[in-house]
Amino acid sequence: MLIRDELAGDGPAISQLVTEAMLMLAQSTGTEAGIVEKLRADDALALSLVAEDDGVIVGYLAASAATIGTEDGWGLIGPLAVLPSRHRQRIGTALMAEAIGRLRANSRGAVLVGDPGYYSRFKFRTFPSLRLAGVPPQFVQALPFDGTEPRGELIHHPAFGLNQAG
Ligand SMILES: CC(C)(COP(=O)(O)OP(=O)(O)OC[C@H]1O[C@@H](n2cnc3c(N)ncnc32)[C@H](O)[C@@H]1OP(=O)(O)O)[C@@H](O)C(=O)NCCC(=O)NCCS
C-alpha cells in the first residue's frame, strides 16, 4: 500500500470513497465529500493524502489550516475515511502517521473533531479551553507539537459549515 498526495483526476474516486465510508458513521452529516470538494476548489487543502492499493484508492485524509483562539498555524485533520471493506488493516493509522509527520514540519500542532476512542491512540486529547460551538467538548481534540496548550475557539475553513448552511 502506498500513501501519496492526491493527483489530478483523483477527485471523483475520493468523493465516492468518503461518501461510502461516512455512511457507516452515525453522526455523519452526509456532506463530508462536499467539504473536500469545497476545500479543493478554494485551494485550501494543506494535505490531501490517499492510500492506494493495487491502483485503487482505499483511504483518504484531508488537512486544512485552522486557528485556535488568536493563534493561527494549526493543521486541522479531516475528513479521514477508509473504504469499509478495508477497515482494521491499519490504513487509517498509516494516513494519520503521514499527516502528523507532515504537519509537524510546518504547524504549531494538529487539531480535529472526532471520536476520542480512535484518535487518542495518536495522542490527541481534549484541553479545558479548546472548544467549537455546537460540538460536545470531548470530540474537539488537539496534538500540540511544541507543548503549547491550545486555548480558545477552533476556527476552521467555512467549507466545514456546509451542513449549517443547508
Ligand atoms: C475511523 C477509520 C478511518 C479507521 O480506519 P481503519 O483503517 O479501519 O483504522 P486502523 O486499521 O488504523 O485502526 C486502528 C485501530 O482503531 C480501531 N478503531 C477504528 N475505529 C474506531 C473507533 N471509532 N473507535 C475506537 N477504535 C476504533 C480499530 O478497531 C483498530 O483497533 P485495533 O488496533 O485494536 O485493531 C475508519 O473506520 C472509517 O473510515 N470509518 C468511517 C469514517 C470515520 O469514522 N471517519 C473518522 C471521522 S471522526
Side-chain angles (χ1 to χ4, degrees):
M1 192 190 58
L2 170 73
I3 305 291
R4 61 164 174 80
D5 289 306
E6 174 186 344
L7 297 173
D10 284 339
I14 290 171
S15 291
Q16 197 180 332
L17 164 74
V18 170
T19 300
E20 197 176 329
M22 293 298 169
L23 286 175
M24 301 193 62
L25 196 61
Q27 65 270 35
S28 168
T29 58
T31 59
E32 291 85 359
I35 290 171
V36 176
E37 288 160 11
K38 183 78 163 54
L39 290 171
R40 186 185 295 115
D42 282 2
D43 204 16
L45 284 166
L47 290 179
S48 187
L49 299 176
V50 303
E52 182 186 309
D53 196 23
D54 247 346
V56 177
I57 293 179
V58 294
Y60 179 73
L61 181 152
S64 51
T67 298
I68 298 177
T70 56
E71 284 187 342
D72 58 11
W74 291 86
L76 182 131
I77 292 178
L80 166 67
V82 172
L83 201 63
S85 59
R86 302 295 302 269
H87 281 182
R88 301 198 71 166
Q89 296 176 18
R90 303 268 156 211
I91 296 168
T93 298
L95 284 163
M96 285 296 292
E98 179 73 15
I100 292 167
R102 297 241 210 141
L103 290 174
R104 203 176 275 282
N106 57 16
S107 306
R108 207 183 275 286
V111 61
L112 54 79
V113 179
D115 184 347
Y118 184 63
Y119 292 105
S120 58
R121 73 193 60 225
F122 306 110
K123 310 272 187 259
F124 280 81
R125 67 175 182 91
T126 57
F127 290 84
S129 51
L130 171 61
R131 59 187 183 272
L132 176 59
V135 177
Q138 67 270 27
F139 294 112
V140 189
Q141 302 151 72
L143 173 62
F145 296 142
D146 62 1
T148 312
E149 179 157 337
R151 287 172 195 276
E153 179 83 11
L154 171 62
I155 302 162
H156 49 30
H157 190 280
F160 289 93
L162 277 178
N163 50 330
Q164 279 135 38

